[in-house]
Amino acid sequence: MATRFTDLVGCRLPIQLAAMGGVGTIELAAAVIAAGGLGMVNRSTEPAPGACGKNFLVPFDPGIDEVRAAAGRTHVVEFFYGEPDARLVDAVHSGGALAAWQVGSAEEASAAVEAGCDFVVAQGIEAGGHVRGTMALDELLPRVLAAVLVPVVAAGGIATAERVAELLGKGAD
């Protein structure tokens, strides 16, 4: 099932695991990778082998050297809960990984692309844990798709294959 996202990150299915503190283990990431998706781990967890990424929460001030080192050990480095920062994205690219930013608005998505991100994750208010945006995914997704040309991953409250198919039909990658 090829999309711009699967082609970019090298997975078989257009599924990305959310990096979740506490429950987002390397074993969970490895299971997502084995099933064909993009596994993700948080900042303090080493990435699983294969199509795996690492997530940094911007308020915890990831240093450029830490980001560059993470990029050298993983395929994707994703940032969340802060304004897109070209310095962080440059550190990811110089470390050899793809850069992503999880966004809650079309404006934030545009800023992420301007900062150099390879793809964005549009997170609706249905997501659990930290939520940056203020609108439902069905309202947010078309706005983000209209604002950027990079692949867009839809996130928030997606629990069935039917919902995945619906969002792919609406343009999500």
Side-chain angles (χ1 to χ4, degrees), residues 2-116:
T3 68
R4 296 184 306 160
F5 171 75
T6 60
D7 291 344
L8 181 66
V9 303
C11 59
R12 290 182 294 109
L13 298 174
I15 304 285
Q16 177 180 332
L17 174 66
M20 302 169 285
V23 298
T25 63
I26 190 169
E27 293 83 8
L28 180 57
V32 169
I33 295 164
L38 174 65
M40 294 292 293
V41 295
N42 64 38
R43 175 185 195 170
S44 62
T45 304
E46 281 303 310
C52 191
K54 195 167 228 189
N55 181 276
F56 288 90
L57 292 173
V58 175
F60 294 108
D61 195 27
I64 296 297
D65 291 339
E66 179 186 6
V67 169
R68 187 177 297 112
R73 294 188 311 272
T74 189
H75 192 58
V76 173
V77 175
E78 180 180 278
F79 299 96
F80 181 53
Y81 226 76
E83 296 300 317
D85 183 337
R87 294 176 314 111
L88 293 173
V89 174
D90 289 344
V92 171
H93 289 150
S94 70
L98 298 168
W101 212 282
Q102 195 171 144
V103 302
S105 70
E107 296 77 20
E108 193 174 30
S110 293
V113 171
E114 288 173 22

Side-chain angles (χ1 to χ4, degrees), residues 24 77 121 144 149 168:
V77 175
V121 178
V144 171
L149 297 176
L168 288 169

Side-chain angles (χ1 to χ4, degrees), residues 106-130:
E107 296 77 20
E108 193 174 30
S110 293
V113 171
E114 288 173 22
C117 285
D118 300 293
F119 69 96
V120 297
V121 178
Q123 182 200 54
I125 59 172
E126 302 89 345
H130 301 289

Side-chain angles (χ1 to χ4, degrees), residues 120-141:
V120 297
V121 178
Q123 182 200 54
I125 59 172
E126 302 89 345
H130 301 289
V131 178
R132 190 157 167 86
T134 60
M135 63 183 75
L137 180 56
D138 285 333
E139 184 180 353
L140 174 64
L141 181 61

